[in-house]
Amino acid sequence: MNSSKITPESIAASKGRTRIAALTAYDFPMTRLLDQAGIPLILVGDSLGMVVLGYPDTTHVTLEEMEHHTRAAARAKPRALLAADLPFRSYETPEAAVANARRLVAAGAEAVKAEGGLDIIEQVRAIRNYGIPFLGHLGMLPQHVLEEGGYRVKGKQEAERQRLLADAEALVQAGAFAIVLELVAAPLAAELTRRLPIPTIGIGSGPDCDGQILVTPDLLGLLPWFSLKHVKPRLNAAEQMRAVVQEWKRSVEAGSGAKAG
Ligand code: KIV
C-alpha cells in the first residue's frame, strides 16, 4: 500500500485517474477506522449537527463545535486529507472567513469547505491567499435549508444550470482543489465533471462525478430515523447495536454479564 500523505494536490491530480471515495467523520475512532480502510478524503462535516448533536439542521452548528470535533478527528493523524466545514455564518466576510478557517486549521484541519460559489468568492480568494486549501460545495446547500424551505435537487432549470456552471468556474479560478456537488441534477453533475479541471465529488448527484461522498452514519445505517433517497445503507448498524445491547442487558440480568467476551 502506498502510505504517502494525501494532499489537496493529490486529490486534485486524481481527476480522470482514480475515483475519490470520501466520507465524513466527527471523532477519533471513526477517523482512524476510515483511514485504515483507505478513504483518501475525510470531512468533519457540519452534518455533525444533525447526525451527532441532534440539531434539526446544520444552521445550529457553531465554530466551537466544529473545532472540538476537528481536534478529535485530527488526533487520529490520518493519512487521508482531513477537511472541515466552516459552519453557518462563520464566513460572511473575507476577514471572518480567513480568521475562522485559521481556527479550523489550528484544530487540525488540512483544508476547509464552505457552501456557495460567486456569492462567497471573495471569501474563497481570501482563504486561498492565506494559503489554506479550499474544498467547494455547490448544489443543495444545507446551510440555506431554512430560506429555501427544504432539500431539493438543483440544476434542472436552465437558469439554475447556468448559475451553477458560473459558480463552479469561479471556484476553480479562485483555487478550489475539488468541489462537492450535493443534490445536483445528474446530467448537470456529469457536464460539470466533464468541463471542470478539478474533481467533482457527488452526493445525490448521480454516478458520473469524479468521486462520491457520504455522511458515514447514513452509509452504516446508524440513523434509521432519517430516510434518504440518495443512499442505501450497506449495514444495519442501528439494528445490530440494539440487538447486542439487549443481549448484554439480558445477560447482566441473568447474572452472567460480567464475563469476558
Ligand atoms: O456536512 C457534510 O457532511 C457535508 C457532506 C454532505 C458533503 O457537507
Side-chain angles (χ1 to χ4, degrees):
M1 189 182 96
N2 177 359
S3 61
S4 56
K5 174 73 187 152
I6 310 278
T7 62
E9 292 74 23
S10 55
I11 294 286
S14 62
K15 173 112 189 162
R17 299 208 298 230
T18 319
R19 285 191 197 254
I20 301 156
L23 285 170
T24 64
Y26 317 96
D27 59 22
F28 171 84
M30 187 58 81
T31 306
R32 182 173 249 192
L33 288 171
L34 299 185
D35 199 48
Q36 287 173 347
I39 293 296
L41 171 59
I42 298 177
L43 173 69
V44 185
D46 63 354
S47 50
L48 163 74
M50 296 170 79
V51 303
V52 175
L53 301 179
Y55 295 139
D57 56 62
T58 61
T59 65
H60 301 264
V61 177
T62 65
L63 187 70
E64 288 71 24
E65 287 163 342
M66 289 305 303
E67 286 176 289
H68 177 80
H69 286 268
T70 300
R71 270 187 222 108
R75 283 184 201 112
K77 296 187 174 37
R79 171 181 179 253
L81 181 70
L82 188 69
D85 266 335
L86 279 162
F88 187 49
R89 295 219 163 122
S90 71
Y91 50 101
E92 293 193 320
T93 63
E95 294 73 27
V98 173
N100 292 327
R102 287 180 65 188
R103 282 176 61 173
L104 292 179
V105 169
E110 297 162 321
V112 299
K113 174 165 84 55
E115 298 180 6
L118 284 161
D119 55 328
I120 61 159
I121 213 65
E122 291 308 325
Q123 288 88 318
V124 179
R125 283 201 195 107
I127 289 170
R128 289 297 300 122
N129 284 342
Y130 196 82
I132 298 174
F134 185 81
L135 175 60
H137 186 151
L138 293 175
M140 167 58 212
L141 305 179
Q143 292 176 8
H144 293 251
V145 67
L146 298 179
E147 69 211 63
E148 297 210 349
Y151 300 90
R152 71 169 179 86
V153 173
K154 291 298 178 83
K156 285 184 173 168
Q157 296 88 14
E158 185 54 21
E160 216 167 57
R161 174 179 162 272
Q162 291 296 344
R163 173 70 202 215
L164 279 167
L165 288 169
D167 283 336
E169 291 293 349
L171 288 177
V172 171
Q173 293 309 320
F177 68 88
I179 304 179
V180 169
L181 298 179
E182 179 159 358
L183 296 186
V184 170
L188 176 56
E191 182 180 359
L192 283 162
T193 303
R194 278 194 307 277
R195 284 169 78 141
L196 299 181
I198 59 172
T200 59
I201 306 178
I203 173 163
S205 300
D208 296 322
C209 297
D210 295 302
Q212 299 288 331
I213 185 164
L214 285 178
V215 170
T216 302
D218 295 337
L219 176 69
L220 301 181
L222 261 174
L223 307 169
W225 45 89
F226 287 131
S227 123
L228 298 165
K229 280 199 194 120
H230 66 266
V231 45
K232 188 172 178 312
R234 305 272 175 123
L235 180 72
N236 194 343
E239 204 41 62
Q240 292 188 18
M241 282 171 68
R242 269 198 293 256
V244 166
V245 169
Q246 279 168 349
E247 190 193 318
W248 177 77
K249 173 176 176 280
R250 276 194 297 272
S251 72
V252 168
E253 289 165 356
S256 58
K259 282 186 193 154

